[in-house]
Amino acid sequence: MIYGIGNDLVALKRIENLYQKYGQNLANHVLHPIEQEELAQANNQANFIAKRFAAKEAFAKAVGTGLHSPVTLRNIGVGHHESGKPEFFYEPVLQRWLAQQGVRHVHLSLSDEGEHVLAFAVAER
């Protein structure tokens, strides 16, 4: 059963400008600690941050809270299944909150084309 859906569209130029202005401080604000470790290996760091920001915004919409504790940028992580499919992982406080809400899985789809990044999330009970 679907609990909620969410999507987000990010202009890559906006993230590029913010990353140039704030650098690591932007990464610290947006990224989960594990994602911060992966950032150094990314070919395009602004795109890496933009995809994760869009995914987390879509997640927050899908669970119906917006970005409010415990649904925060740093409590949500984006990784990849062994097949390459993007997937969410969570800090324990968010994992507990999701269980209390009856959310057992949040699916994620990410796309980027030119100057835009798109994320779509479906929360499932």
Side-chain angles (χ1 to χ4, degrees):
M1 174 182 226
I2 293 177
Y3 180 87
I5 61 170
N7 69 333
D8 197 58
L9 178 67
V10 173
L12 185 55
K13 189 67 174 168
R14 179 174 146 231
I15 301 300
E16 288 171 343
N17 290 341
L18 289 169
Y19 194 45
Q20 285 178 351
K21 184 174 181 178
Y22 297 108
Q24 189 59 39
N25 286 335
L26 176 66
N28 292 343
H29 179 70
V30 172
L31 300 178
H32 182 279
I34 292 173
E35 294 171 315
Q36 289 182 31
E37 294 173 15
E38 295 172 355
L39 178 63
Q41 277 46 273
N43 290 334
N44 183 333
Q45 292 185 342
N47 185 276
F48 181 92
I49 293 169
K51 280 185 174 179
R52 275 132 188 94
F53 181 78
K56 295 171 187 198
E57 284 279 344
F59 176 93
K61 293 171 185 175
V63 298
T65 62
L67 290 170
H68 299 285
S69 187
V71 181
T72 64
L73 295 171
R74 290 181 49 90
N75 282 345
I76 307 164
V78 177
H80 292 90
H81 184 269
E82 61 188 34
S83 68
K85 175 179 87 164
E87 60 186 7
F88 291 111
F89 61 90
Y90 319 105
E91 284 295 300
V93 65
L94 180 53
Q95 186 67 48
R96 285 189 299 275
W97 182 85
L98 290 168
Q100 291 169 352
Q101 307 312 307
V103 176
R104 61 182 189 91
H105 189 73
V106 182
H107 303 272
L108 173 62
S109 177
L110 288 170
S111 297
D112 60 331
E113 181 64 38
E115 294 299 314
H116 294 93
V117 172
L118 176 69
F120 189 78
V122 177
E124 180 181 8
R125 285 188 181 219

